[in-house]
Every structure is written in structure tokens, then in C-alpha cells.
Amino acid sequence: MSKKHLHFERCGAQQEIALIRLTRAPKRNALNDALILALRDLFEKMPSGVRAAVIDGEGDHFCAGLDLSELQERDAGQGLFHSRMWHAALERVQYGPVPVIAALHGAVVGGGLELASACHIRVADESTFYALPEGSRGIFVGGGGSVRIPRLIGVARMTDMMLTGRVYNAQDGERIGLAQYLVPQGMALEKALELATRIAGNAPMTNYALTHVLPRIADQPADQGFMTEAMMASIAQSAPEAKERVRDFLEGRAAKVQKR
Ligand code: 1HE
């Protein structure tokens, strides 16, 4: 299935993985309104049977951020609603039906970094570079970046990126926490699909706890976080699938944790 600027296909042995590709390479996958709304719709109507998703970008770059050509004529009120539209779309990615992995290469800048930071795991290849050029364009982040990016790298680093136009390369990006995996050039999609296959094999309730509950616990005061954790743990443990998985381990049918 291909919408304009967005390609969707299912892969994996059970078609359990959704591969979502930004296909606007001539504009470096810049995110116009149509693309943002297509992303939102896709995550709202994810077909049943999909258990993990991968987002990547066609061409030499993951994403050049907001389509600046659409910024020209907006007044303040329209700008507010536009930002809230991005929030709604990226919230569907972060708090949608399945864990999402971003496979990064080339430019991951501005709104492209905001999209990547709404995903649960980021895999970057060695061509990746990260920047927030909003500072030099006289604007501000508007796609949730001020909330999500400091949670990855801290307020000080994000402030520096925006004040000075600092660009992080792939190695430094991984070191500071913009990506959790760094792979050779051209290998990000393969690694992301490998991780997606593994994630799709987890108990759905565990994946739900990790994508919907853990980030909320992290935002709670400790006392409330402990209580939320206890409730989530008890729900997860009581699922029949959890009991079966624990029994499989105790009876020698499940893999041990392997030293690397
Ligand atoms: C674009 C955009 C765009 C490219 N909006 N058209 N983001 C930025 O400020 C980043 C702007 N882009 C770049 O710095 C570079 O394009 C790249 C480093 C990403 C890639 O460079 P390169 O040499 O491969 O491509 P290019 O020649 O710069 O661009 C190719 C075409 O894409 C060209 O159009 P053409 O008609 O002349 O072929 C560019 O104009 C077009 N293009 N990026 C519109 N972003 C929710 S708020 C989020 C706020 C932000 O994201 S602000 C940051 C915006």
C-alpha cells in the first residue's frame, strides 16, 4: 500500500512487521502536512496482526524535517494548530499499537529528529547526522522535540544544538543517546528488522507495558511510579501467556540469557 509520500508493506514470517517508508526523496523526505497526516492515519488504523513497526526513509537521508515551503504563509493561530497536528500524529507513533523502530541514515534533522525521537528504538548507520536547524531558521521545534529530545540527551545538549547549530555525527549521536544502535553504512534497515522480529515475539502485554506505561512511570514522582509499576507487573504476570513462558523456562524449553 502506498499513499503519496508514504509506503507501507508487511514483512516477517507471519507478516507481523510493518515497514513504513518516507518516499519523498527529491525533497529529502521533508515532512509536509500530507505526510504527517498519512503517518497519523497509518498508526491509527494499523492492520491487526502487526506486532512491530520500522520507519525508514528513501534516498540518501532519513528526513530533512518540516517542509519549510509550507511554513511561509501561516499566522500565529494556524501555527499553533499545525504544531498540535504534529503532536497528535507523533503521539500516535509513540503511544500507538506497536513498538516502533526508526532506521536512520543521512540527515536526521529538525522534525526528522522529532519523528525519530517519537519511536521507541533508533538504529543509526554510520552516515547518520543529527541537527536542530530550527535555531538558525528563526523558529522553534514544534513536533514534540522539546519534550522528547531532552529525555534522550538532556536539556543542555539540546539547548547547545539549537543555539549553536551543532551537528552530531553518527558515533557521537550514539554516545550521547540519540540512537541506541550504531551499525555500518547501509545496515540500519536490516538491523531494525532483526530487532522488530525479536520484539514481535514478545508477549504483547509486555510490549504494551514498555511502550505505554514505562514512559509514564518515568514522568511520575517515585512514590506514584512504584505503585504504577506494581499494578503493571501484576497485570503482566497474570496473563496466560506470561505463565506459559515462565513454565517453558522452568521446564527447560525456553532460551537462557546468554553472555555476550
Ligand atoms: C527541502 C527541505 C525542507 C530539503 N523543506 N524543502 N529542516 C532544515 O532546515 C533542513 C534543510 N535541509 C538541508 O539542510 C538539506 O536539504 C539536507 C542536509 C537535509 C540534504 O542536503 P542535500 O544537498 O542532499 O539536498 P538539497 O539540495 O539541500 O535539497 C534537495 C531538495 O529538497 C531541494 O529542493 P529543489 O526543489 O531545489 O530540488 C531543497 O529545497 C529541498 N529540501 N530540505 C523543504 N526541510 C514541527 S516543527 C519542525 C521544524 C523543523 O523541522 S525546522 C528544520 C527544517
Side-chain angles (χ1 to χ4, degrees):
M1 186 271 282
S2 274
K3 291 196 181 190
K4 203 175 175 204
H5 308 321
L6 200 59
H7 173 76
F8 173 90
E9 69 180 83
R10 290 178 70 166
C11 43
Q14 270 96 45
Q15 303 282 288
E16 74 279 27
I17 297 165
L19 173 56
I20 297 154
R21 176 161 296 146
L22 311 176
T23 56
R24 217 185 162 215
K27 294 291 179 189
R28 307 307 184 251
N29 297 321
L31 298 165
N32 57 10
D33 289 1
L35 223 171
I36 286 293
L37 291 172
L39 259 181
R40 182 199 65 189
D41 291 350
L42 210 151
F43 277 85
E44 264 172 10
K45 298 185 189 113
M46 189 66 73
S48 64
V50 169
R51 296 183 66 162
V54 172
I55 300 180
D56 80 343
E58 197 172 84
D60 292 339
H61 301 282
F62 174 71
C63 178
L66 174 72
D67 186 325
L68 292 168
S69 68
E70 289 190 352
L71 191 71
Q72 313 269 7
E73 306 301 334
R74 240 174 251 140
D75 66 22
Q78 289 163 335
L80 172 72
F81 290 127
H82 182 262
S83 172
R84 296 300 288 156
M85 177 187 83
W86 270 62
H87 291 165
L90 297 195
E91 182 165 306
R92 294 328 299 151
V93 176
Q94 182 179 2
Y95 292 118
V98 292
V100 188
I101 303 159
L104 306 177
H105 71 292
V108 181
V109 304
L113 181 52
E114 296 187 282
L115 169 60
S117 65
C119 299
H120 303 99
I121 296 179
R122 284 153 297 280
V123 178
D125 86 2
E126 279 168 351
S127 72
T128 308
F129 57 97
Y130 309 88
L132 291 168
E134 287 88 340
S136 57
R137 310 256 182 262
I139 54 178
F140 190 59
V141 284
S146 62
V147 172
R148 295 193 181 95
I149 297 168
R151 284 170 166 73
L152 298 177
I153 63 174
V155 173
R157 285 199 180 98
M158 179 170 172
T159 308
D160 175 33
M161 286 176 84
M162 292 196 69
L163 282 176
T164 68
R166 181 171 182 165
V167 179
Y168 279 95
N169 66 20
Q171 286 75 22
D172 289 338
E174 193 249 0
R175 176 178 58 78
I176 67 170
L178 285 168
Q180 295 100 316
Y181 294 85
L182 177 61
V183 296
Q185 187 161 348
M187 301 299 288
L189 179 59
E190 186 177 324
K191 181 69 181 176
L193 289 170
E194 176 200 317
L195 296 171
T197 304
R198 182 158 184 165
I199 289 166
N202 292 339
M205 187 50 75
T206 305
N207 283 347
Y208 182 83
L210 289 168
T211 53
H212 286 250
V213 183
L214 177 62
R216 290 176 164 118
I217 291 175
D219 283 342
Q220 287 180 334
D223 183 50
Q224 292 171 23
F226 291 134
M227 182 54 77
T228 310
E229 179 188 272
M231 291 194 281
M232 187 62 243
S234 113
I235 293 168
Q237 279 161 33
S238 66
E241 187 171 349
K243 296 191 191 308
E244 197 178 308
R245 284 171 181 251
V246 171
R247 199 163 42 244
D248 283 349
F249 173 74
L250 293 173
E251 294 172 7
R253 291 188 296 275
K256 292 184 193 181
V257 176
Q258 299 288 338
K259 185 177 172 189
R260 296 188 63 215

